[in-house]
Each structure stands twice: as structure tokens, then as C-alpha cells.
């Protein structure tokens, strides 16, 4: 995972230029979980939901950190 951090931070910085705000990450996370639930059906267990939610939260947190650093440098 550590190797992905610079790329994720850069993605977050890039998303600032697209007008993405912190709250938008919550919407995307919710829609991701809904899509997985609909696509996986009964295979979308609480364990799967929690795992995907945790992974997305980490990714979004790193991207938001990259966005914040970009805004602070501007």
C-alpha cells in the first residue's frame, strides 16, 4: 500500500482541479457500496461491505490529504 500513496495523493490533487470537494468522496463511497450490493446480491455480506468500506475510506483519506496539500501550496 505504501507504494500507492504518492499516486493517490496526486489523484487527490488532480481532483481539486475538477471541482471535487471533501463531501463528494462520501457520495462516491456510498454509491460504490450500493453498486457492489446490487451487483453481488447475496454475496454482498456484512463482512464484504465492511471490507470495501474500510478500503475506500483509506483511499479517500489519502486522496483528501493530497487535495489539502495541493490547496495549501496554492
Amino acid at each position: 500500500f505504501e507504494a500507492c500513496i504518492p499516486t493517490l495523493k496526486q489523484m487527490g490533487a488532480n481532483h481539486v482541479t475538477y471541482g471535487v470537494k471533501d463531501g463528494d468522496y462520501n457520495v462516491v463511497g456510498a454509491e460504490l457500496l450500493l453498486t457492489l450490493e446490487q451487483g453481488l446480491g447475496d454475496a454482498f455480506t456484512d463482512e464484504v461491505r465492511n471490507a470495501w468500506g474500510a478500503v475506500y475510506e483509506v483511499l479517500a483519506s489519502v486522496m483528501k490529504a493530497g487535495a489539502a496539500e495541493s490547496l495549501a501550496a496554492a
Side-chain angles (χ1 to χ4, degrees), residues 5-41:
I5 290 176
T7 300
L8 290 169
K9 282 188 170 185
Q10 185 60 55
M11 287 174 59
N14 292 347
H15 278 64
V16 169
T17 66
Y18 311 143
V20 174
K21 307 284 186 227
D22 273 4
D24 296 332
Y25 288 91
N26 297 334
V27 173
V28 171
E31 290 302 316
L32 170 65
L33 293 176
L34 178 61
T35 300
L36 289 168
E37 180 179 15
Q38 292 173 347
L40 294 174

Side-chain angles (χ1 to χ4, degrees), residues 34-57:
L34 178 61
T35 300
L36 289 168
E37 180 179 15
Q38 292 173 347
L40 294 174
D42 291 340
F44 192 67
T45 62
D46 287 341
E47 183 178 12
V48 172
R49 175 187 296 278
N50 292 338
W52 272 101
V55 168
Y56 180 77
E57 183 59 36

